[in-house]
Amino acid sequence: EPEVTQTPSHQVTQMGQEVILRCVPISNHLYFYWYRQILGQKVEFLVSFYNNEISEKSEIFDDQFSVERPDGSNFTLKIRSTKLEDSAMYFCASSDTSGTQETQYFGPGTRLLVL
Amino acid sequence: AQSVAQPEDQVNVAEGNPLTVKCTYSVSGNPYLFWYVQYPNRGLQFLLKYITGDNLVKGSYGFEAEFNKSQTSFHLKKPSALVSDSALYFCAVRTAHTGRRALTFGSGTRLQVQP
């Protein structure tokens, strides 16, 4: 069964550094998403991406965040200057475009720790 | 704004007994409702969804959920619990509006099935 994959599984970085989290969505899916889960808190929506542009974003997704589909398979989340409060599990998800009822399928997550 | 409430942090049930994990929601317009399960160190795994039609939806691993519009609830149920069902369960909602796909998650309910 096709799966969403994410790399790396864990990332440790220093405050102020840039990080890029990578995702390979399910191959025939066209909608891509990033969510995050701060330890002990809810899973929160960050951004959705379709047709090479952001289709929706939350207030969390400020100027320090960006997303890109650099090629036909990868979908990335960049955090330009990490802060301590960016420490969280970041989940990528993808869905197809069969109507608007599509299910979002999630990857295993990248645990980001900012020191 | 949309929101989800999972009133129980933890549900304990004996193996073989029926289980219920509660979820109530708030959303503008018609809801699309989802249940996901998270096993330790794993991503969010889709269980089932309600989009329209029959209020009782069936999903993976023998789980089902009942949509109740008047009570704005979408409780997850299983007739006979297994020890392997022990995990963290998340309810999620999104609006049926075509341009908005962001999922809003509840805080999660930890299900503990005792042998």
Side-chain angles (χ1 to χ4, degrees):
Chain A
E1 186 174 326
E3 292 181 334
V4 176
T5 59
Q6 291 184 241
T7 54
S9 58
H10 294 79
Q11 174 96 44
V12 181
T13 189
Q14 296 292 322
M15 189 170 57
Q17 294 296 302
E18 175 183 286
V19 294
I20 297 176
L21 309 182
R22 291 182 169 80
C23 168
V24 178
I26 294 172
S27 62
N28 63 337
H29 286 184
L30 297 178
Y31 277 94
F32 314 119
Y33 313 83
W34 284 101
Y35 290 80
R36 78 173 185 189
Q37 185 181 28
I38 295 172
L39 190 63
Q41 298 187 24
K42 295 182 181 184
V43 177
E44 301 172 291
F45 169 77
L46 293 178
V47 65
S48 62
F49 190 86
Y50 172 72
N51 200 24
N52 282 320
E53 61 183 25
I54 291 173
S55 53
E56 190 179 359
K57 63 181 181 179
S58 72
E59 62 275 8
I60 301 169
F61 194 86
D62 60 23
D63 291 344
Q64 71 161 344
F65 292 94
S66 63
V67 289
E68 190 179 25
R69 183 131 164 99
D71 53 43
S73 60
N74 288 284
F75 179 53
T76 62
L77 174 69
K78 182 192 290 186
I79 310 175
R80 289 192 182 82
S81 179
T82 50
K83 305 171 188 170
L84 297 177
E85 54 265 36
D86 293 328
S87 295
M89 179 74 91
Y90 287 81
F91 293 107
C92 175
S94 70
S95 63
D96 65 22
T97 57
S98 51
T100 60
Q101 303 172 7
E102 69 277 9
T103 299
Q104 294 180 29
Y105 293 92
F106 285 76
T110 293
R111 186 169 295 283
L112 176 66
L113 178 60
V114 182
L115 302 176
Chain B
Q2 50 196 42
S3 65
V4 174
Q6 293 182 244
E8 302 152 318
D9 290 336
Q10 181 155 324
V11 169
N12 297 306
V13 64
E15 188 174 31
N17 282 0
L19 69 88
T20 299
V21 181
K22 295 179 180 176
C23 170
T24 58
Y25 68 89
S26 173
V27 71
S28 298
N30 292 323
Y32 291 168
L33 293 153
F34 303 82
W35 276 101
Y36 287 86
V37 60
Q38 185 177 34
Y39 295 99
N41 301 314
R42 303 283 294 277
L44 298 167
Q45 185 175 341
F46 169 72
L47 274 181
L48 51 78
K49 67 182 178 184
Y50 170 83
I51 302 298
T52 187
D54 212 352
N55 288 345
L56 185 65
V57 293
K58 296 185 183 297
S60 307
Y61 313 118
F63 284 93
E64 58 190 29
E66 186 165 13
F67 170 63
N68 187 316
K69 187 172 184 177
S70 62
Q71 296 186 3
T72 61
S73 67
F74 189 56
H75 301 330
L76 181 70
K77 301 181 180 185
K78 187 174 182 181
S80 178
L82 300 173
V83 172
S84 57
D85 293 330
S86 298
L88 189 56
Y89 290 80
F90 291 95
C91 180
V93 69
R94 57 160 281 208
T95 175
H97 187 287
T98 55
R100 301 186 60 190
R101 287 177 166 79
L103 292 176
T104 296
F105 284 84
S107 54
T109 298
R110 188 164 300 282
L111 175 65
Q112 193 69 41
V113 181
Q114 286 119 6

